[in-house]
Amino acid sequence: MALSDSEQLAYALAEAKASRAEGGIPIGAALIVDGKVLAVGHNQRVQLGSAIHHGETNCLENAGRLPASVYERATMVTTLSPCDMCTGAILLYKIPRVIIGENTTFYGGEDYLRSRGVDVVVLNDAECVQLMADFIADEPALWNEDIGENAQL
């Protein structure tokens, strides 16, 4: 039986909460193919001292090397609208569907994804919104670093 969009989001949301519990940025992702969760991941820029381990890229790293035919059947599930880097990774691997938990606190590359033929679903999940809103309020400098902003605080 196929997982609903909300059921798929639950995997990414669990990862976002794990990241926050580790002192990181609360963004999580899951890669789902043919109704099965192939990989999950979360933003680990703080934990790994990494410039590129956003939720989606960490999830792709955790999936390992896969044939193009697998990505072409995949859904990327993310708790937050994907940034330009993660949007690029989705397009590079020709992932045809993206489920986004919320785009209220950050609106990323979803219009570009749509323009390139990707099916983008935004769930406007209240828990995802609250998790990010709380984080941004508590850690504005860390948030700005994550999205490449040079904010004066």
Side-chain angles (χ1 to χ4, degrees), residues 82-123:
C83 73
D84 289 342
M85 177 174 65
C86 295
T87 294
I90 291 163
L91 291 172
L92 177 68
Y93 290 106
K94 297 178 177 64
I95 296 171
R97 188 163 193 263
V98 177
I99 297 171
I100 298 171
E102 67 102 352
N103 63 6
T104 303
T105 61
F106 178 79
Y107 196 95
E110 58 195 80
D111 292 335
Y112 186 54
L113 288 169
R114 285 185 189 98
S115 79
R116 296 283 303 271
V118 177
D119 177 22
V120 177
V121 177
V122 181
L123 298 180

Tab-separated table of all heavy atoms in Angstrom, residues 82-123:
chain	number	residue	atom	x	y	z
A	82	PRO	N	13.036	23.698	-0.681
A	82	PRO	CA	14.470	23.486	-0.912
A	82	PRO	C	15.195	24.742	-1.400
A	82	PRO	O	14.701	25.484	-2.241
A	82	PRO	CB	14.510	22.393	-1.982
A	82	PRO	CG	13.187	22.441	-2.642
A	82	PRO	CD	12.203	22.954	-1.633
A	83	CYS	N	16.391	24.932	-0.881
A	83	CYS	CA	17.255	26.039	-1.305
A	83	CYS	C	17.746	25.776	-2.725
A	83	CYS	O	17.482	24.725	-3.306
A	83	CYS	CB	18.440	26.178	-0.342
A	83	CYS	SG	19.660	24.847	-0.529
A	84	ASP	N	18.499	26.714	-3.260
A	84	ASP	CA	19.006	26.559	-4.625
A	84	ASP	C	19.900	25.332	-4.776
A	84	ASP	O	19.841	24.639	-5.797
A	84	ASP	CB	19.766	27.816	-5.054
A	84	ASP	CG	18.847	28.997	-5.283
A	84	ASP	OD1	17.622	28.812	-5.453
A	84	ASP	OD2	19.358	30.132	-5.288
A	85	MET	N	20.741	25.063	-3.782
A	85	MET	CA	21.637	23.905	-3.865
A	85	MET	C	20.827	22.607	-3.908
A	85	MET	O	21.083	21.726	-4.742
A	85	MET	CB	22.616	23.893	-2.680
A	85	MET	CG	23.521	22.679	-2.665
A	85	MET	SD	24.786	22.737	-1.368
A	85	MET	CE	23.785	22.679	0.119
A	86	CYS	N	19.859	22.492	-3.033
A	86	CYS	CA	19.066	21.269	-2.973
A	86	CYS	C	18.139	21.151	-4.178
A	86	CYS	O	17.912	20.056	-4.688
A	86	CYS	CB	18.305	21.219	-1.658
A	86	CYS	SG	19.433	21.098	-0.235
A	87	THR	N	17.636	22.286	-4.663
A	87	THR	CA	16.855	22.301	-5.891
A	87	THR	C	17.693	21.751	-7.037
A	87	THR	O	17.228	20.924	-7.835
A	87	THR	CB	16.377	23.738	-6.198
A	87	THR	OG1	15.454	24.135	-5.178
A	87	THR	CG2	15.717	23.843	-7.550
A	88	GLY	N	18.939	22.193	-7.119
A	88	GLY	CA	19.842	21.708	-8.156
A	88	GLY	C	20.080	20.215	-8.073
A	88	GLY	O	20.122	19.525	-9.094
A	89	ALA	N	20.231	19.693	-6.858
A	89	ALA	CA	20.441	18.251	-6.693
A	89	ALA	C	19.212	17.464	-7.148
A	89	ALA	O	19.336	16.419	-7.798
A	89	ALA	CB	20.779	17.932	-5.237
A	90	ILE	N	18.035	17.972	-6.825
A	90	ILE	CA	16.794	17.316	-7.257
A	90	ILE	C	16.734	17.275	-8.779
A	90	ILE	O	16.401	16.248	-9.374
A	90	ILE	CB	15.574	18.046	-6.655
A	90	ILE	CG1	15.519	17.813	-5.135
A	90	ILE	CG2	14.279	17.609	-7.328
A	90	ILE	CD1	14.625	18.785	-4.379
A	91	LEU	N	17.078	18.385	-9.411
A	91	LEU	CA	17.051	18.443	-10.876
A	91	LEU	C	18.149	17.584	-11.500
A	91	LEU	O	17.910	16.913	-12.512
A	91	LEU	CB	17.186	19.893	-11.348
A	91	LEU	CG	15.988	20.781	-11.051
A	91	LEU	CD1	16.307	22.228	-11.380
A	91	LEU	CD2	14.739	20.300	-11.776
A	92	LEU	N	19.337	17.603	-10.903
A	92	LEU	CA	20.444	16.814	-11.433
A	92	LEU	C	20.076	15.343	-11.535
A	92	LEU	O	20.369	14.677	-12.527
A	92	LEU	CB	21.683	16.985	-10.550
A	92	LEU	CG	22.901	16.152	-10.937
A	92	LEU	CD1	23.483	16.638	-12.256
A	92	LEU	CD2	23.945	16.211	-9.847
A	93	TYR	N	19.418	14.829	-10.499
A	93	TYR	CA	19.075	13.407	-10.481
A	93	TYR	C	17.693	13.121	-11.058
A	93	TYR	O	17.223	11.992	-10.993
A	93	TYR	CB	19.229	12.848	-9.058
A	93	TYR	CG	20.689	12.793	-8.691
A	93	TYR	CD1	21.240	13.710	-7.800
A	93	TYR	CD2	21.531	11.867	-9.288
A	93	TYR	CE1	22.593	13.674	-7.499
A	93	TYR	CE2	22.879	11.829	-8.992
A	93	TYR	CZ	23.399	12.738	-8.098
A	93	TYR	OH	24.737	12.710	-7.818
A	94	LYS	N	17.063	14.166	-11.623
A	94	LYS	CA	15.773	14.014	-12.307
A	94	LYS	C	14.709	13.383	-11.416
A	94	LYS	O	13.916	12.532	-11.861
A	94	LYS	CB	15.938	13.234	-13.607
A	94	LYS	CG	16.838	13.950	-14.611
A	94	LYS	CD	17.022	13.139	-15.881
A	94	LYS	CE	17.845	13.848	-16.922
A	94	LYS	NZ	19.227	14.116	-16.562
A	95	ILE	N	14.686	13.801	-10.160
A	95	ILE	CA	13.659	13.340	-9.231
A	95	ILE	C	12.357	14.040	-9.633
A	95	ILE	O	12.300	15.269	-9.650
A	95	ILE	CB	14.062	13.652	-7.773
A	95	ILE	CG1	15.330	12.853	-7.418
A	95	ILE	CG2	12.918	13.337	-6.815
A	95	ILE	CD1	15.967	13.225	-6.093
A	96	PRO	N	11.321	13.276	-9.972
A	96	PRO	CA	10.136	13.880	-10.578
A	96	PRO	C	9.111	14.480	-9.620
A	96	PRO	O	8.214	15.197	-10.049
A	96	PRO	CB	9.503	12.713	-11.345
A	96	PRO	CG	9.877	11.514	-10.536
A	96	PRO	CD	11.256	11.813	-10.010
A	97	ARG	N	9.255	14.191	-8.334
A	97	ARG	CA	8.228	14.649	-7.383
A	97	ARG	C	8.890	15.097	-6.092
A	97	ARG	O	9.795	14.428	-5.583
A	97	ARG	CB	7.237	13.523	-7.094
A	97	ARG	CG	6.039	13.944	-6.278
A	97	ARG	CD	4.919	12.897	-6.394
A	97	ARG	NE	3.683	13.419	-5.874
A	97	ARG	CZ	3.241	13.195	-4.637
A	97	ARG	NH1	3.921	12.415	-3.815
A	97	ARG	NH2	2.102	13.721	-4.231
A	98	VAL	N	8.402	16.217	-5.561
A	98	VAL	CA	8.907	16.741	-4.299
A	98	VAL	C	7.718	17.076	-3.407
A	98	VAL	O	6.792	17.777	-3.838
A	98	VAL	CB	9.770	18.007	-4.511
A	98	VAL	CG1	10.228	18.590	-3.178
A	98	VAL	CG2	10.970	17.701	-5.397
A	99	ILE	N	7.764	16.581	-2.190
A	99	ILE	CA	6.771	16.929	-1.172
A	99	ILE	C	7.462	17.865	-0.191
A	99	ILE	O	8.520	17.525	0.352
A	99	ILE	CB	6.248	15.679	-0.432
A	99	ILE	CG1	5.527	14.745	-1.406
A	99	ILE	CG2	5.328	16.087	0.722
A	99	ILE	CD1	5.175	13.388	-0.809
A	100	ILE	N	6.867	19.029	0.036
A	100	ILE	CA	7.434	20.050	0.915
A	100	ILE	C	6.529	20.217	2.130
A	100	ILE	O	5.320	20.452	1.975
A	100	ILE	CB	7.572	21.389	0.162
A	100	ILE	CG1	8.532	21.234	-1.017
A	100	ILE	CG2	8.007	22.504	1.114
A	100	ILE	CD1	8.559	22.432	-1.950
A	101	GLY	N	7.114	20.126	3.304
A	101	GLY	CA	6.333	20.300	4.526
A	101	GLY	C	5.774	21.706	4.654
A	101	GLY	O	4.602	21.895	4.986
A	102	GLU	N	6.618	22.703	4.404
A	102	GLU	CA	6.154	24.087	4.487
A	102	GLU	C	7.070	25.020	3.715
A	102	GLU	O	8.253	24.745	3.534
A	102	GLU	CB	6.026	24.547	5.943
A	102	GLU	CG	7.331	24.654	6.702
A	102	GLU	CD	7.852	26.082	6.857
A	102	GLU	OE1	7.303	27.025	6.248
A	102	GLU	OE2	8.819	26.246	7.596
A	103	ASN	N	6.500	26.139	3.280
A	103	ASN	CA	7.266	27.169	2.585
A	103	ASN	C	6.963	28.563	3.137
A	103	ASN	O	7.193	29.556	2.469
A	103	ASN	CB	7.018	27.111	1.070
A	103	ASN	CG	5.573	27.390	0.697
A	103	ASN	OD1	4.740	27.735	1.537
A	103	ASN	ND2	5.251	27.231	-0.568
A	104	THR	N	6.443	28.609	4.349
A	104	THR	CA	6.100	29.880	4.988
A	104	THR	C	7.338	30.579	5.535
A	104	THR	O	7.508	31.779	5.344
A	104	THR	CB	5.092	29.640	6.135
A	104	THR	OG1	3.946	28.975	5.596
A	104	THR	CG2	4.674	30.936	6.788
A	105	THR	N	8.196	29.832	6.201
A	105	THR	CA	9.385	30.433	6.823
A	105	THR	C	10.509	30.646	5.821
A	105	THR	O	11.399	31.463	6.049
A	105	THR	CB	9.896	29.574	7.991
A	105	THR	OG1	10.256	28.274	7.505
A	105	THR	CG2	8.848	29.441	9.095
A	106	PHE	N	10.487	29.896	4.711
A	106	PHE	CA	11.494	30.035	3.659
A	106	PHE	C	10.887	29.535	2.363
A	106	PHE	O	10.350	28.425	2.305
A	106	PHE	CB	12.743	29.213	3.999
A	106	PHE	CG	13.812	29.263	2.938
A	106	PHE	CD1	14.653	30.361	2.839
A	106	PHE	CD2	13.973	28.213	2.045
A	106	PHE	CE1	15.641	30.417	1.858
A	106	PHE	CE2	14.960	28.253	1.065
A	106	PHE	CZ	15.795	29.365	0.967
A	107	TYR	N	10.976	30.350	1.319
A	107	TYR	CA	10.463	29.963	0.008
A	107	TYR	C	11.660	29.781	-0.908
A	107	TYR	O	12.324	30.739	-1.280
A	107	TYR	CB	9.520	31.043	-0.540
A	107	TYR	CG	8.668	30.572	-1.679
A	107	TYR	CD1	7.384	30.104	-1.442
A	107	TYR	CD2	9.140	30.582	-2.978
A	107	TYR	CE1	6.586	29.662	-2.485
A	107	TYR	CE2	8.356	30.138	-4.028
A	107	TYR	CZ	7.071	29.677	-3.779
A	107	TYR	OH	6.298	29.228	-4.817
A	108	GLY	N	11.945	28.539	-1.235
A	108	GLY	CA	13.130	28.231	-2.024
A	108	GLY	C	12.836	28.093	-3.499
A	108	GLY	O	12.071	28.867	-4.080
A	109	GLY	N	13.415	27.077	-4.109
A	109	GLY	CA	13.397	26.913	-5.552
A	109	GLY	C	12.219	26.168	-6.124
A	109	GLY	O	12.306	25.648	-7.242
A	110	GLU	N	11.128	26.134	-5.420
A	110	GLU	CA	10.012	25.309	-5.893
A	110	GLU	C	9.404	25.809	-7.207
A	110	GLU	O	8.948	25.002	-8.022
A	110	GLU	CB	8.962	25.126	-4.812
A	110	GLU	CG	8.370	26.399	-4.287
A	110	GLU	CD	7.611	26.198	-2.997
A	110	GLU	OE1	8.255	26.127	-1.936
A	110	GLU	OE2	6.366	26.123	-3.056
A	111	ASP	N	9.398	27.112	-7.453
A	111	ASP	CA	8.894	27.604	-8.746
A	111	ASP	C	9.791	27.118	-9.885
A	111	ASP	O	9.299	26.747	-10.955
A	111	ASP	CB	8.810	29.136	-8.761
A	111	ASP	CG	7.733	29.661	-7.823
A	111	ASP	OD1	6.764	28.923	-7.531
A	111	ASP	OD2	7.862	30.820	-7.378
A	112	TYR	N	11.093	27.119	-9.656
A	112	TYR	CA	12.026	26.626	-10.667
A	112	TYR	C	11.821	25.124	-10.896
A	112	TYR	O	11.837	24.653	-12.030
A	112	TYR	CB	13.469	26.932	-10.268
A	112	TYR	CG	14.478	26.587	-11.340
A	112	TYR	CD1	14.358	27.081	-12.635
A	112	TYR	CD2	15.558	25.769	-11.060
A	112	TYR	CE1	15.275	26.754	-13.627
A	112	TYR	CE2	16.480	25.441	-12.045
A	112	TYR	CZ	16.331	25.939	-13.326
A	112	TYR	OH	17.236	25.609	-14.298
A	113	LEU	N	11.610	24.388	-9.819
A	113	LEU	CA	11.329	22.960	-9.970
A	113	LEU	C	10.099	22.756	-10.849
A	113	LEU	O	10.123	21.942	-11.783
A	113	LEU	CB	11.125	22.302	-8.599
A	113	LEU	CG	12.360	22.128	-7.728
A	113	LEU	CD1	11.968	21.717	-6.323
A	113	LEU	CD2	13.326	21.125	-8.336
A	114	ARG	N	9.041	23.491	-10.551
A	114	ARG	CA	7.813	23.366	-11.352
A	114	ARG	C	8.081	23.706	-12.821
A	114	ARG	O	7.573	23.033	-13.719
A	114	ARG	CB	6.720	24.272	-10.796
A	114	ARG	CG	6.084	23.779	-9.527
A	114	ARG	CD	4.912	24.676	-9.095
A	114	ARG	NE	4.449	24.311	-7.780
A	114	ARG	CZ	4.811	24.946	-6.658
A	114	ARG	NH1	5.618	25.992	-6.692
A	114	ARG	NH2	4.342	24.531	-5.495
A	115	SER	N	8.871	24.772	-13.050
A	115	SER	CA	9.150	25.194	-14.426
A	115	SER	C	9.929	24.126	-15.195
A	115	SER	O	9.895	24.108	-16.424
A	115	SER	CB	9.922	26.520	-14.444
A	115	SER	OG	11.299	26.330	-14.169
A	116	ARG	N	10.592	23.246	-14.464
A	116	ARG	CA	11.356	22.165	-15.087
A	116	ARG	C	10.580	20.843	-15.090
A	116	ARG	O	11.129	19.779	-15.360
A	116	ARG	CB	12.696	21.985	-14.343
A	116	ARG	CG	13.629	23.185	-14.414
A	116	ARG	CD	14.335	23.305	-15.758
A	116	ARG	NE	15.098	22.120	-16.087
A	116	ARG	CZ	16.375	21.913	-15.744
A	116	ARG	NH1	17.052	22.833	-15.083
A	116	ARG	NH2	16.976	20.785	-16.064
A	117	GLY	N	9.286	20.900	-14.771
A	117	GLY	CA	8.426	19.735	-14.888
A	117	GLY	C	8.307	18.874	-13.647
A	117	GLY	O	7.687	17.804	-13.691
A	118	VAL	N	8.868	19.313	-12.539
A	118	VAL	CA	8.775	18.545	-11.297
A	118	VAL	C	7.406	18.783	-10.653
A	118	VAL	O	6.924	19.913	-10.589
A	118	VAL	CB	9.907	18.937	-10.316
A	118	VAL	CG1	9.770	18.202	-8.987
A	118	VAL	CG2	11.262	18.648	-10.958
A	119	ASP	N	6.783	17.711	-10.198
A	119	ASP	CA	5.516	17.790	-9.474
A	119	ASP	C	5.851	18.195	-8.038
A	119	ASP	O	6.478	17.416	-7.308
A	119	ASP	CB	4.816	16.430	-9.520
A	119	ASP	CG	3.514	16.399	-8.732
A	119	ASP	OD1	2.918	17.460	-8.496
A	119	ASP	OD2	3.098	15.280	-8.356
A	120	VAL	N	5.453	19.395	-7.637
A	120	VAL	CA	5.757	19.921	-6.308
A	120	VAL	C	4.463	20.017	-5.501
A	120	VAL	O	3.497	20.651	-5.940
A	120	VAL	CB	6.422	21.313	-6.393
A	120	VAL	CG1	6.673	21.878	-5.003
A	120	VAL	CG2	7.728	21.231	-7.181
A	121	VAL	N	4.458	19.391	-4.337
A	121	VAL	CA	3.304	19.396	-3.442
A	121	VAL	C	3.732	20.070	-2.146
A	121	VAL	O	4.714	19.648	-1.530
A	121	VAL	CB	2.835	17.950	-3.144
A	121	VAL	CG1	1.690	17.945	-2.156
A	121	VAL	CG2	2.473	17.225	-4.427
A	122	VAL	N	3.000	21.110	-1.752
A	122	VAL	CA	3.284	21.804	-0.499
A	122	VAL	C	2.163	21.477	0.478
A	122	VAL	O	0.994	21.757	0.209
A	122	VAL	CB	3.399	23.329	-0.705
A	122	VAL	CG1	3.711	24.021	0.622
A	122	VAL	CG2	4.460	23.658	-1.740
A	123	LEU	N	2.529	20.883	1.625
A	123	LEU	CA	1.525	20.433	2.586
A	123	LEU	C	1.139	21.492	3.621
A	123	LEU	O	0.132	21.338	4.307
A	123	LEU	CB	2.014	19.169	3.302
A	123	LEU	CG	2.254	17.959	2.398
A	123	LEU	CD1	2.734	16.766	3.219
A	123	LEU	CD2	1.017	17.607	1.599
